[in-house]
Amino acid sequence: MRGARAARHERLLDDIVAEFPGFAIVPKRTSGLQRAIGVALSAVTLGGQRHYLTRYHTVLFGKLYVPDAWGLMDDEARYILLRHERVHLRQRRRMGDVTMAFVYLCVFAPLFFAWGRARIEWEAYVETIRATAEVHGLDAARALEDEIVRRYVGPDYGWMWPFPRTIRRWFADVIADLEAEAASSG
């Protein structure tokens, strides 16, 4: 265990390992499975998702597979990312690997209308928005909207929910909750 002076993301890592004892951070480039997934995603999205190995972090089988960019991230960015990925670890525990994979990949369709993936990712993006507000303030959290919408309606997640108004409504609800929480505590 690290002391109180440890970086915020290191303290969160300690909490994650305590909650998920088999958890580890693994470089994507060292995993044949991750490299194969990267090739498959690039092919299925016609090159739209060609950054899987270099920009995206992936929780799979209780491990966090990280791109080379992990080494360049500062403490705050790692903390926010780990908050997002811990949600996926909890979803995996709640659903199990088979059910989570089925929901993520098949409900309703693997591409263009992936309601299951959209909802799984939304639960984690809510945590990203909350962590960003905690670390950088509510204005920084508000500034995430366009990037999150882009990811949902574009090739990053296989055009998982191509309805930007829905994503913007979900986003507005989270911001309204954060504003209400700030008003009641201040």
Side-chain angles (χ1 to χ4, degrees), residues 9-24:
H9 90 273
E10 291 172 339
R11 293 190 307 269
L12 180 54
L13 269 173
D14 287 341
D15 291 346
I16 291 171
V17 169
E19 187 175 355
F20 302 97
F23 177 79

Side-chain angles (χ1 to χ4, degrees), residues 18-184:
E19 187 175 355
F20 302 97
F23 177 79
I25 296 176
V26 181
K28 276 190 171 183
R29 291 196 185 277
T30 66
S31 168
L33 176 60
Q34 291 298 313
R35 290 192 310 272
I37 291 170
V39 169
L41 285 174
S42 184
V44 168
T45 63
L46 304 175
Q49 176 44 295
R50 63 187 173 280
H51 303 291
Y52 178 79
L53 287 176
T54 58
R55 296 186 191 164
Y56 287 85
H57 302 79
T58 306
V59 165
L60 192 62
F61 307 122
K63 310 283 186 238
L64 174 58
Y65 291 89
V66 298
D68 297 340
W70 174 260
L72 303 174
M73 294 171 71
D74 65 18
D75 178 56
E76 293 170 339
R78 285 181 179 189
Y79 173 78
I80 292 166
L81 175 90
L82 288 169
R83 293 262 305 261
H84 176 107
E85 300 302 345
R86 182 174 58 181
V87 170
H88 291 316
L89 291 165
R90 289 175 173 167
Q91 291 167 330
R92 174 184 183 246
R93 180 178 56 209
R94 186 173 70 234
M95 290 187 248
D97 287 326
V98 172
T99 300
M100 187 164 173
F102 177 77
V103 171
Y104 200 87
L105 297 173
C106 299
V107 177
F108 296 123
L111 298 173
F112 304 109
F113 193 60
W115 173 252
R117 181 164 55 254
R119 294 311 296 177
I120 284 172
E121 287 298 340
W122 187 252
E123 188 178 338
Y125 274 113
V126 167
E127 193 66 11
T128 297
I129 297 163
R130 288 182 161 283
T132 299
E134 175 189 314
V135 172
H136 298 295
L138 200 48
D139 287 340
R142 285 186 192 101
L144 296 174
E145 181 176 3
D146 288 339
E147 177 63 14
I148 292 172
V149 170
R150 184 195 67 73
R151 288 181 179 185
Y152 266 74
V153 303
D156 294 22
Y157 290 99
W159 303 276
M160 69 180 157
W161 199 248
F163 306 109
R165 286 192 306 167
T166 301
I167 310 309
R168 290 188 189 284
R169 187 178 67 245
W170 293 348
F171 190 91
D173 290 346
V174 175
I175 294 297
D177 289 346
L178 289 171
E179 289 169 340
E181 290 167 16
S184 70

